[in-house]
């Protein structure tokens, strides 16, 4: 069956589009809605958004691939994103990534076999004064130590 | 020094409307709507000397004055909350803890250009910040501070909090507008400038969070009070985000013209663990690094930092101690730009990756003697040859690291290994 929004999400879609001066301006928030609903933005989701937004699928694909926060493939329930840019690197970001790799037994860009975690390295998250840091899904975790990371990850089911 | 921008930070409930208003919040907004003409407001901000805090330092009142008054198209005001410059985290502090100050500034700026739709474009990763701004906007709507017929004046203004989706380039104003139009965040050629051809081809002003957060204070206390602070050309106060090898990292507000060395040693507690300073980036990852001897007489204002050969930029201060490998630091910054280049202009798209590759091979002991001049050559070919300032932002730090720490780069190449970290 082709992908489509639930009635509730469709309502959110209509309300979102209505707020903007032009429909196309709502592209980014609509893609977030689709990602939330479908888990990731695969070809079918892109087709569906293109239809809703009255845009060519290629244009939607171009937008999706431009931004780092849209996932074109399924990811784990908890997306660990370790900041690797200079301020964090000066305060041990590499050790943070190394520790997580070892603990979870995966490399960057991989997902654990149980689908619990995906590990990524990302660029500056504007949390440089509390380095090293990581973002897991929506939340920032700052001033990381190995002990702290262990507790955080163990608490995520 | 009296704090302007951080005045509400640390106050319990600072993010709520009740607390913000109990501390005088939105009084300036009321005054603007009830008793000021847009031209008067623009003149007041011009007189204050306020300059854009996103990095370029362009005079804010002048930017507003470029918006044509007789253009029949809608006008848009956009608050740039897409803070992504390496080493910069000042806007996030304001967004999370003082969202009403940003909203009030956004409303005031919108009124100055007589816009009826304003946007706050916030970085996609800042989910908590988005929630704080959305909650604050909702409160302000309910209180009649935003919406139709504000304070019974007949002036209507809508505010939309819009989340980006992860792209450093969207902090550049024309890229931000492309993104807000629902497309890839691709910068546009200037001119025409956004003031005449911005969002959907309509007159648009984009102002940084910190710039907007200063407006309520300027209206409340007057342009003269603001202009009384700072130096001749750099007025008022500025936020600095301090990170890296420093004893007390964090966000600081200082009067423009404050001595840089004193700031690092006294306000920030000096280099961490009693180590010696090796280099400091004064204005975010895009700006040339300065050596300890270069900051001796530098003050924290646009002109003084520029005279020392770097730029004040976003005020993102990254401190590096004597144990730092400068090849590694340069490679890190080069990787950032290689990752974030939007891909439109070939000098930047190709050059950033090329420079990163060379820096990495030097760090890993595979550098060649000719590599250093090659990087300088690539960097020189990027400078000034791209649509937006991103190219310069990638080229400047790369060249500065090599020019200032050339011995260290040469040692890496001669010994075929990292000579700092062993």
């Amino acid at each position: 069956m082709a992908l489509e929004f639930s009635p509730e999400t469709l309502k959110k879609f209509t309300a979102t589009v209505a707020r903007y001066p032009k429909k196309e301006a709502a592209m980014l928030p609509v893609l977030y809605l689709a990602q939330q609903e479908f888990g990731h933005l695969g070809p079918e989701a892109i087709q569906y958004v293109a239809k809703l937004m009255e845009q060519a699928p290629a244009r939607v694909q171009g937008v999706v691939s431009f931004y780092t926060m849209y996932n074109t493939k399924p990811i784990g329930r908890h997306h660990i994103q370790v900041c690797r840019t200079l301020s964090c690197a000066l305060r041990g970001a590499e050790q943070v990534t190394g520790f997580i790799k070892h603990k979870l037994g995966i490399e960057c860009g991989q997902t654990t076999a149980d689908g619990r975690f995906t590990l990524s390295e990302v660029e500056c998250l504007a949390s440089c004064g509390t380095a090293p840091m990581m973002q897991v899904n929506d939340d920032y975790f700052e001033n990381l130590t190995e002990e702290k990371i262990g507790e955080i990850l163990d608490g995520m089911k | 020094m009296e704090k302007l921008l951080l005045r509400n930070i640390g106050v319990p409930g600072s993010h709520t409307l009740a607390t913000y208003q109990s501390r005088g919040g939105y009084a300036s907004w009321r005054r603007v709507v009830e008793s000021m003409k847009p031209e008067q407001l623009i003149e007041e901000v011009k007189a204050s000397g306020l300059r854009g805090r996103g990095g370029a330092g362009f005079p804010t009142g002048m930017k507003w004055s470029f918006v044509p008054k007789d253009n029949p198209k809608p006008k848009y005001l956009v608050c740039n909350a897409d803070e992504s410059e390496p080493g910069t985290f000042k806007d996030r502090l304001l967004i999370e803890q003082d969202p009403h100050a940003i909203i009030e500034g956004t409303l005031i700026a919108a009124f100055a250009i007589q816009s009826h739709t304003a946007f706050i474009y916030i970085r996609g990763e800042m989910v908590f910040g988005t929630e704080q701004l959305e909650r604050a906007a909702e409160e302000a709507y309910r209180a009649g501070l935003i919406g139709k017929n504000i304070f019974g004046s007949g002036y209507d203004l809508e505010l939309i909090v819009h989340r980006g989706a992860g792209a450093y380039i969207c902090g550049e104003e024309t890229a931000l507008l492309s993104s807000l139009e629902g497309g890839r965040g691709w910068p546009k050629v200037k001119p025409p400038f956004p003031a005449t051809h911005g969002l959907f081809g309509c007159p648009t002003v984009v102002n940084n969070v910190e710039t907007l957060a200063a407006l309520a204070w300027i209206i409340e206390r007057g342009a003269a009070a603001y202009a009384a602070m700072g130096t001749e050309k750099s007025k008022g106060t500025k936020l600095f985000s301090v990170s890296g090898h420093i004893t007390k990292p964090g966000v600081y507000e200082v009067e423009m013209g404050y001595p840089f060395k004193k700031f690092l040693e006294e306000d920030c507690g000096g280099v961490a663990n009693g180590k010696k300073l090796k280099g400091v980036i004064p204005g975010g990852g895009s700006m040339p690094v300065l050596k300890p001897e270069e900051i001796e007489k530098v003050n924290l204002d646009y002109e003084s930092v520029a005279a020392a050969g770097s730029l004040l930029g976003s005020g993102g201060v990254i401190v590096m101690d004597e144990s730092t490998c400068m090849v590694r630091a340069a490679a890190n910054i080069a990787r950032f730009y290689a990752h974030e280049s939007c891909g439109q202009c070939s000098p930047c798209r190709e050059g950033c990756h090329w420079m990163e590759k060379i820096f990495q091979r030097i760090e890993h002991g595979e550098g060649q003697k000719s590599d250093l001049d090659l990087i300088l050559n690539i960097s020189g070919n990027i400078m000034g040859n791209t649509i937006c300032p991103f190219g310069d932002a990638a080229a400047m730090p790369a060249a500065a690291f090599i020019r200032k720490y050339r011995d260290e780069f040469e040692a890496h190449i001669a010994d075929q290994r990292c000579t700092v970290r062993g």
Side-chain angles (χ1 to χ4, degrees), chain B residues 156-303:
Chain B
D156 302 337
L157 179 57
E158 298 298 326
L159 178 70
I160 299 169
V161 177
H162 183 92
R163 239 178 108 202
Y168 167 74
I169 192 61
C170 292
E172 194 280 332
E173 63 176 6
T174 61
L176 185 154
L177 295 176
S178 296
S179 176
L180 195 47
E181 287 168 354
R184 295 174 155 235
W186 271 356
K188 295 171 190 170
V189 177
K190 295 194 273 193
F193 289 92
T196 55
H197 295 76
L199 188 65
F200 297 114
C202 302
T204 305
V205 166
V206 183
N207 286 141
N208 174 260
V209 161
E210 186 186 341
T211 314
L212 295 171
L215 292 176
W217 192 94
I218 292 172
I219 300 305
E220 181 190 318
R221 307 284 278 271
Y226 191 81
M229 291 179 293
T231 68
E232 193 198 334
K233 289 180 178 163
S234 299
K235 300 296 188 190
T237 65
K238 163 109 194 74
L239 296 180
F240 289 89
S241 317
V242 186
S243 67
H245 299 136
I246 188 80
T247 305
K248 291 188 280 180
V251 176
Y252 295 81
E253 179 174 10
V254 302
E255 188 172 341
M256 284 281 197
Y258 194 79
F260 196 7
K261 207 176 163 197
K262 184 177 175 206
F263 174 64
L264 288 179
E265 285 175 1
E266 293 176 19
D267 298 65
C268 306
V271 177
N273 306 316
K275 290 204 171 138
K276 280 200 197 108
L277 181 69
K278 186 166 186 178
V280 57
I281 298 173
S286 305
M287 302 310 168
V289 60
L290 293 172
K291 295 180 87 165
E293 58 268 30
E294 290 178 298
I295 66 162
E296 288 288 334
K297 287 179 185 155
V298 173
N299 297 323
L300 294 170
D301 60 74
Y302 296 107
E303 290 68 35

Side-chain angles (χ1 to χ4, degrees), chain A residues 109-128:
Chain A
Q110 293 182 343
T111 301
T112 52
D114 58 3
R116 211 168 127 213
F117 294 106
T118 298
L119 177 62
S120 303
E121 277 183 307
V122 297
E123 298 296 350
C124 189
L125 287 171
S127 185
C128 327

Side-chain angles (χ1 to χ4, degrees), chain A residues 19-21 24-25 27 32 62 65-69 84 86-87 89-91 94 123-124 126-129 135 142, chain B residues 76 87-89 92 123-125 159-160 162 164-166 179-185 243-245 249 328 332 335-336:
Chain A
R19 298 199 67 198
Y20 286 85
E24 64 224 65
M27 180 66 87
Y32 275 126
S65 68
F66 186 82
Y67 298 95
T68 57
M69 294 183 65
R84 67 180 186 184
L86 189 55
S87 300
L90 292 171
R91 293 183 92 106
E94 256 179 62
E123 298 296 350
C124 189
S127 185
C128 327
Q135 177 167 19
E142 303 169 291
Chain B
Y76 298 112
T88 313
F89 47 100
R92 187 166 75 93
R123 192 171 171 185
E125 289 88 343
L159 178 70
I160 299 169
H162 183 92
S179 176
L180 195 47
E181 287 168 354
R184 295 174 155 235
S243 67
H245 299 136
R328 210 175 175 82
N332 184 293
R335 180 178 62 186
F336 176 85

Side-chain angles (χ1 to χ4, degrees), chain B residues 71-388:
Chain B
N71 193 317
K73 290 181 178 175
K75 301 180 186 84
Y76 298 112
L77 189 285
V78 185
C79 165
N80 185 347
D82 192 49
E83 182 175 57
S84 316
E85 176 71 15
T88 313
F89 47 100
K90 62 182 176 80
D91 293 346
R92 187 166 75 93
L93 180 73
L94 295 178
I95 291 165
E96 292 182 356
Q97 295 192 34
D98 201 6
H100 283 289
I102 299 166
I103 292 176
E104 185 173 10
T106 304
L107 304 180
I108 293 170
F111 185 87
I113 62 163
Q114 288 293 293
S115 159
H116 299 292
T117 309
F119 296 90
I120 299 178
Y121 185 106
I122 181 168
R123 192 171 171 185
E125 289 88 343
M126 293 181 187
V127 181
F128 177 60
T130 307
E131 288 167 3
Q132 291 290 77
L133 279 171
E134 279 176 343
R135 269 195 292 266
E138 223 177 279
E139 280 187 303
Y141 260 106
R142 275 204 301 272
L145 299 161
I146 320 176
K148 301 261 180 251
N149 193 22
I150 299 166
F151 304 130
S153 65
Y155 180 66
D156 302 337
L157 179 57
E158 298 298 326
L159 178 70
I160 299 169
V161 177
H162 183 92
R163 239 178 108 202
Y168 167 74
I169 192 61
C170 292
E172 194 280 332
E173 63 176 6
T174 61
L176 185 154
L177 295 176
S178 296
S179 176
L180 195 47
E181 287 168 354
R184 295 174 155 235
W186 271 356
K188 295 171 190 170
V189 177
K190 295 194 273 193
F193 289 92
T196 55
H197 295 76
L199 188 65
F200 297 114
C202 302
T204 305
V205 166
V206 183
N207 286 141
N208 174 260
V209 161
E210 186 186 341
T211 314
L212 295 171
L215 292 176
W217 192 94
I218 292 172
I219 300 305
E220 181 190 318
R221 307 284 278 271
Y226 191 81
M229 291 179 293
T231 68
E232 193 198 334
K233 289 180 178 163
S234 299
K235 300 296 188 190
T237 65
K238 163 109 194 74
L239 296 180
F240 289 89
S241 317
V242 186
S243 67
H245 299 136
I246 188 80
T247 305
K248 291 188 280 180
V251 176
Y252 295 81
E253 179 174 10
V254 302
E255 188 172 341
M256 284 281 197
Y258 194 79
F260 196 7
K261 207 176 163 197
K262 184 177 175 206
F263 174 64
L264 288 179
E265 285 175 1
E266 293 176 19
D267 298 65
C268 306
V271 177
N273 306 316
K275 290 204 171 138
K276 280 200 197 108
L277 181 69
K278 186 166 186 178
V280 57
I281 298 173
S286 305
M287 302 310 168
V289 60
L290 293 172
K291 295 180 87 165
E293 58 268 30
E294 290 178 298
I295 66 162
E296 288 288 334
K297 287 179 185 155
V298 173
N299 297 323
L300 294 170
D301 60 74
Y302 296 107
E303 290 68 35
S304 181
V305 179
S310 189
L311 291 162
L312 193 66
S314 65
V317 177
I318 306 175
V319 178
M320 291 172 277
D321 73 16
E322 56 193 319
S323 72
T324 311
C325 168
M326 292 318 228
V327 179
R328 210 175 175 82
N332 184 293
I333 290 293
R335 180 178 62 186
F336 176 85
Y337 289 100
H339 182 266
E340 299 295 341
S341 174
C342 85
Q344 253 194 128
C345 313
S346 10
C348 172
R349 182 186 60 235
E350 305 301 321
C352 288
H353 282 277
W354 196 2
M355 288 198 297
E356 191 219 340
K357 219 167 119 182
I358 303 170
F359 276 125
Q360 296 289 8
R361 78 173 175 233
I362 298 172
E363 171 62 7
H364 292 109
E366 291 152 10
Q368 299 159 18
K369 270 190 181 161
S370 56
D371 278 350
L372 302 181
D373 289 331
L374 181 56
I375 291 178
L376 293 177
N377 182 279
I378 298 168
S379 143
N381 284 328
I382 298 174
M383 276 295 280
N385 291 325
T386 54
I387 290 174
C388 83

